[in-house]
Amino acid sequence: MLKQRVITAIVLVAVLLSALMAPSPWPALVLLLAMVAASTWEWLRLTLPGHLSAAAVPLSGLLAIVLALTAYGLVHGPASVVALRWLDVFDYVLVPLAGLLWLVVASVAVIRARVDAQAGCLGLSGFSLLAGAVLWYGLAQIFLNYGVWFLISLMALVWVADSAAYFVGRAMGRRKLAP
């Protein structure tokens, strides 16, 4: 299992670095878009009720299209009033809304400790689209405004924390925190 994780990580880091080091910002933005669309698809598969689970692919695809159009506005600048207004929607509506919802919903979930909740939840499914869009927008803004190395250091911080949690859990974990 560890060997497979290491090989996968090496391949993915090579792909990521190739995209980030390209002379144009497009490969990195498209790769980030693909990563967010895949994670949104997975989130939707986990949270959509059974009879709606087939909608995960089209919803993730729709999110990818919206983000691709947003990428065009970010890279080429707001060429029109519509593009400028759309970027304002991200900056002044979607990002604060996602942060507020994440803070409130996560706090309520932790306080209520509902680990036995039903898998199919339309609220969580809807939030996955908002969270995915905001995640991509934030990563794209970091990449475009602060550069490659800032984004890589941010990702490395997450990777180290995730790897440390995995190894500590393997070494010291006896019981699961949640069923």
Side-chain angles (χ1 to χ4, degrees):
M1 180 76 165
L2 181 60
K3 181 179 176 181
Q4 180 182 359
R5 284 176 180 254
V6 171
I7 292 170
T8 303
I10 290 170
V11 170
L12 292 177
V13 166
V15 169
L16 178 67
L17 288 177
S18 299
L20 290 175
M21 298 300 181
S24 166
W26 282 107
L29 293 176
V30 169
L31 181 63
L32 291 173
L33 191 146
M35 292 164 55
V36 166
S39 64
T40 302
W41 170 74
E42 185 176 0
W43 190 339
L44 287 170
R45 281 185 350 153
L46 292 172
T47 59
L48 279 172
H51 65 284
L52 295 175
S53 62
V57 172
L59 287 172
S60 300
L62 179 64
L63 178 65
I65 291 169
V66 168
L67 294 180
L69 294 172
T70 306
Y72 184 83
L74 285 173
V75 171
H76 295 294
S80 68
V81 174
V82 175
L84 181 61
R85 296 281 186 234
W86 180 243
L87 295 178
D88 284 348
V89 167
F90 264 96
D91 287 331
Y92 300 114
V93 177
L94 297 180
V95 171
L97 178 64
L100 181 66
L101 284 174
W102 193 272
L103 189 66
V104 170
V105 172
S107 299
V108 169
V110 168
I111 290 168
R112 293 177 71 193
R114 289 288 318 264
V115 294
D116 62 340
Q118 295 291 328
C121 178
L122 288 176
L124 284 175
S125 300
F127 181 69
S128 72
L129 296 170
L130 175 64
V134 168
L135 170 65
W136 177 85
Y137 185 73
L139 292 174
Q141 288 285 27
I142 287 170
F143 173 68
L144 294 172
N145 294 323
Y146 298 105
V148 172
W149 295 111
F150 191 89
L151 183 60
I152 289 173
S153 65
L154 179 66
M155 289 180 160
L157 182 68
V158 173
W159 295 332
V160 167
D162 187 52
S163 298
Y166 172 78
F167 286 117
V168 167
R170 296 278 297 164
M172 299 171 45
R174 287 186 180 79
R175 282 180 263 137
K176 292 182 177 185
L177 293 175

